[in-house]
Amino acid sequence: MKLFSLALFGALSATSFAKSYPVTGNTVNCRSGPGTSYGVKKSYQKGQSVSISCQTSGTSVSGNNIWDKTSDGCYVADYYIKTGVNGYVTTKCGGSSGSGGSSGSYCKKINTAGVNLVAQWEGFVPSPKPDPIGLPTVGYGHLCQKKNCAEVKYKFPLSQTTAKQLLSDDLPKYTKCLAGYLNSKVKLNDNQLAALTSWTFNVGCGNVKTSTLIKRLNKGDNPNTVASQELPNWRKAGGQVMQGLVNRRKAEIKLFKTASSKQAYPKCQ
């Protein structure tokens, strides 16, 4: 009951304090998911104000792959919303709602191999600066939530040690949303959970929730087969194939298929 209450409060708070922004397109479709392949739930007209509760990445529209989740519960391409900045203006969509059946006893922190993998592919940034798609980041892929990353408790410029600590602070929320989308029949060892957490950290909880990878795991398909076939599909940024993402997916698959006797999901050993 306590967890439900906190989740409900968080959802209500996100809606209550969502900011409103004007629509710039003539007729802009709001879809059931962050992409043009999702069904249209409603449409907004030019000049109409919409409230954004959270943002995530999805299908690129004219070079912008950010999608805004509105207070109507649907997603609209950020390209058509005048937020005033070329990047995120609120928190990333996440949470543990959906088809998951986790009891909450999964491993909350991923293993060292997973942390090192994320750090390797995110790259070290000692002080806040825009990443390759213009989002302000610091450390190992920490997306700034406030101006100059004021929410970070570690002193700038970060050392690699404090950057790793910041990364360790950030990762559990991605493991949490991942676990929330998996049903309790899925069995993952610590390397598999770490590899999928790296993927989730990279593409965002919203994309993970609606992915074929999650659907196939929940359906009972062989995890190694699913990872080998589905992870390579996540290789684009801004509509372009990025070699760095191709290489990262290969590293995640390698870790995922590395044998381990330690169970991490749905229960932590």
Side-chain angles (χ1 to χ4, degrees), residues 102-183:
S102 169
S103 64
S105 57
Y106 63 91
C107 293
K108 305 301 187 295
K109 292 188 176 183
I110 63 173
N111 60 21
T112 301
V115 174
N116 289 339
L117 187 151
V118 175
Q120 174 188 349
W121 292 104
E122 290 294 334
F124 174 58
V125 179
S127 298
K129 74 173 187 178
D131 71 0
I133 61 173
L135 303 179
T137 59
V138 73
Y140 293 108
H142 175 84
L143 181 64
C144 300
Q145 301 298 315
K146 298 180 179 179
K147 185 177 181 181
N148 299 320
C149 284
E151 76 280 0
V152 175
K153 63 184 179 181
Y154 307 104
K155 184 179 179 180
F156 296 134
L158 297 176
S159 64
Q160 292 190 3
T161 299
T162 54
K164 277 282 185 73
Q165 291 173 337
L166 177 59
L167 179 59
S168 294
D169 293 341
D170 286 342
L171 284 171
K173 70 178 181 180
Y174 294 94
T175 306
K176 180 180 179 180
C177 77
L178 169 65
Y181 305 145
L182 296 169
N183 64 42

Side-chain angles (χ1 to χ4, degrees), residues 26-237:
N26 290 326
T27 299
V28 177
N29 293 326
C30 198
R31 300 176 179 272
S32 59
T36 53
S37 62
Y38 292 91
V40 177
K41 295 184 66 176
K42 68 176 301 177
S43 297
Y44 299 118
Q45 301 303 313
K46 187 173 184 178
Q48 184 176 349
S49 292
V50 295
S51 296
I52 300 175
S53 57
C54 63
Q55 295 174 292
T56 188
S57 57
T59 304
S60 177
V61 176
S62 296
N64 185 344
N65 69 343
I66 298 175
W67 283 70
D68 306 330
K69 186 174 184 180
T70 75
S71 57
D72 294 310
C74 51
Y75 296 82
V76 63
D78 184 70
Y79 176 78
Y80 298 113
I81 307 298
K82 188 177 181 180
T83 60
V85 299
N86 293 320
Y88 285 74
V89 295
T90 185
T91 58
K92 282 188 175 182
C93 301
S96 59
S97 60
S99 59
S102 169
S103 64
S105 57
Y106 63 91
C107 293
K108 305 301 187 295
K109 292 188 176 183
I110 63 173
N111 60 21
T112 301
V115 174
N116 289 339
L117 187 151
V118 175
Q120 174 188 349
W121 292 104
E122 290 294 334
F124 174 58
V125 179
S127 298
K129 74 173 187 178
D131 71 0
I133 61 173
L135 303 179
T137 59
V138 73
Y140 293 108
H142 175 84
L143 181 64
C144 300
Q145 301 298 315
K146 298 180 179 179
K147 185 177 181 181
N148 299 320
C149 284
E151 76 280 0
V152 175
K153 63 184 179 181
Y154 307 104
K155 184 179 179 180
F156 296 134
L158 297 176
S159 64
Q160 292 190 3
T161 299
T162 54
K164 277 282 185 73
Q165 291 173 337
L166 177 59
L167 179 59
S168 294
D169 293 341
D170 286 342
L171 284 171
K173 70 178 181 180
Y174 294 94
T175 306
K176 180 180 179 180
C177 77
L178 169 65
Y181 305 145
L182 296 169
N183 64 42
S184 58
K185 294 181 181 180
V186 178
K187 301 293 188 292
L188 300 174
N189 64 40
D190 61 333
N191 287 330
Q192 292 172 326
L193 185 66
L196 291 185
T197 296
S198 170
W199 168 61
T200 303
F201 187 81
N202 182 222
V203 306
C205 292
N207 283 324
V208 170
K209 180 179 180 180
T210 58
S211 68
T212 303
L213 187 153
I214 294 297
K215 291 183 177 70
R216 289 184 62 184
L217 287 178
N218 285 336
K219 190 173 70 173
D221 289 1
N222 179 275
N224 282 339
T225 300
V226 172
S228 296
Q229 294 177 348
E230 297 296 334
L231 283 175
N233 294 329
W234 298 84
R235 63 190 188 280
K236 292 184 178 181

